[in-house]
Amino acid sequence: MTATIALLGQPVAHSISPRFQQVALDTLGLDARYEPWETPPSGLPAAVERLRSADLMGANVTVPHKVAVLRLVDRPDPLAELVGAVNTIVRRDGLLHATNTDVSGVLRALADAGIGVAGSHVLLIGAGGAARAVVVAMRRGGAAALTIANRTPQHAEALVALGGQQLVVATTPLDLASEALRTAMEKADLVIHSTPLGMRHGPDEQATPLPAELFRAGQSVLDMVYVPERTPLLEAANRAGARTVGGLAMLVHQGAESFRLWTGHEPPLDMMFEAARAALRDAGQGSAPP
Ligand code: NAP
């Protein structure tokens, strides 16, 4: 019997996860299909019930269900509870176990690029679902201090408690006139962007939340946006001499960790990266791989 791994979200038709996950399954000779399931919010409980079938190995969960699905699974792990969001479900012993691999995805993408988090001053732009995973990742990685800059300041305030005892978290409006934002930018060893600005088909494809003159050599910048692979923000940071990492690295690493959990096998990372870049190129959305 061919097993299934589902991707629950809306919209999922253009997701590139099926491309690189299927390559990973095929490369290891596993008899399984990774299937996008277009799931409106009203259909989420039924989709989660379908995951209980014997042929289902588990699922990825994406926008807009990462928070809502937490209460529909049997065993969310402490990390999923802490982040308040789930992106991976594993069916084991008849139960739906859930976790959040975005946290390790951020840390691995940074580590791959030789960027350490321990002791760093971090500026996080955005305070949505992805930002929640970033705050927990910075706490786990031992960052010294984190400032969250967001368009709606109350949304940033709501994330402060995620820093726990270990990580000091401050907030500022995402407004270039804000003194707090400029100071945080000057101090930042690492800047992480988690809004859709600069994303193809997003609210503003050409926009960068921070201009090039605010970046400097010695800084590192992770843009979670991965379409296009080189975003306006990464270009601006590059021009200033900062070290940059695109969102594709995080996407593939969170997927690779999910793959480990579903299959118990070490994922073929190089093949997954190659397939992810090919998927972006096929969609006319990416740049050529280096
Ligand atoms: P979300 O929950 O909808 O949060 C969106 C965030 O962006 C909020 O902070 C929102 O600010 C801000 N925002 C939206 N439009 C804006 C605009 N026009 N100007 C300024 N700020 C704006 O989304 P999410 O799930 O956190 O995802 C955010 C981004 O990360 C997306 O581009 C997504 O593709 C990317 N992402 C990448 C990965 C990866 O693996 N690489 C994983 C997850 C997400 P307000 O609070 O003011 O509304």
Side-chain angles (χ1 to χ4, degrees):
M1 179 174 57
T2 302
T4 300
I5 299 167
L7 169 64
L8 276 54
Q10 189 185 45
V12 287
H14 299 296
S15 168
I16 65 169
S17 291
R19 284 282 291 272
F20 66 77
Q21 293 289 5
Q22 194 60 51
V23 161
L25 291 165
D26 294 348
T27 300
L28 295 193
L30 301 171
D31 185 14
R33 299 288 313 159
Y34 186 97
E35 282 182 1
W37 289 2
E38 189 75 23
T39 309
S42 60
L44 183 63
V48 172
E49 280 313 299
R50 275 178 72 192
L51 297 178
R52 297 183 186 281
S53 314
D55 57 327
L56 263 293
M57 293 171 82
N60 271 145
V61 182
T62 186
V63 175
H65 303 315
K66 286 184 179 184
V67 173
V69 83
L70 185 65
R71 297 294 155 227
L72 297 174
V73 296
D74 304 311
R75 298 274 190 277
D77 74 357
L79 183 61
E81 294 278 12
L82 179 62
V83 177
V86 160
N87 78 334
T88 304
I89 298 173
V90 182
R91 197 180 67 80
R92 198 168 54 237
D93 305 327
L95 294 174
L96 299 180
H97 297 256
T99 188
N100 188 309
T101 67
D102 284 336
V103 174
S104 63
V106 173
L107 292 170
R108 282 178 196 246
L110 291 170
D112 260 12
I115 300 166
V117 168
S120 302
H121 286 250
V122 183
L123 173 60
L124 168 62
I125 301 164
R132 297 185 68 85
V134 172
V135 178
V136 173
M138 294 305 103
R139 172 175 163 175
R140 290 206 151 183
L146 175 72
T147 301
I148 308 173
N150 196 49
R151 178 179 63 178
T152 310
Q154 305 90 287
H155 294 167
E157 289 295 334
L159 268 56
V160 168
L162 281 177
Q165 302 285 318
Q166 302 97 313
L167 179 61
V168 179
V169 182
T171 67
T172 166
L174 181 54
D175 177 349
L176 294 177
S178 160
E179 197 53 42
L181 176 60
R182 286 178 172 267
T183 305
M185 194 56 193
E186 274 163 28
K187 283 191 181 163
D189 305 299
L190 171 62
V191 179
I192 301 181
H193 175 229
S194 76
T195 85
L197 289 175
M199 185 173 80
R200 192 75 46 88
H201 306 309
D204 190 339
E205 296 187 12
Q206 301 306 322
T208 159
L210 298 169
E213 62 267 23
L214 291 187
F215 293 95
R216 56 175 165 76
Q219 262 175 343
S220 300
V221 180
L222 167 65
D223 194 345
M224 292 178 66
V225 172
Y226 57 88
V227 189
E229 217 179 330
R230 302 300 303 170
T231 62
L233 176 73
L234 294 180
E235 297 295 353
N238 249 337
R239 279 198 299 280
R243 185 161 24 167
T244 57
V245 187
L248 196 72
M250 176 185 164
L251 182 77
V252 172
H253 276 298
Q254 61 78 31
E257 181 60 20
S258 302
F259 185 94
R260 276 186 198 96
L261 295 170
W262 297 317
T263 68
H265 293 286
E266 195 51 33
L269 259 182
D270 289 350
M271 307 283 289
M272 293 171 90
F273 269 103
E274 200 177 302
R277 291 201 172 100
L280 287 186
R281 276 201 310 281
D282 290 352
Q285 293 172 324
S287 55

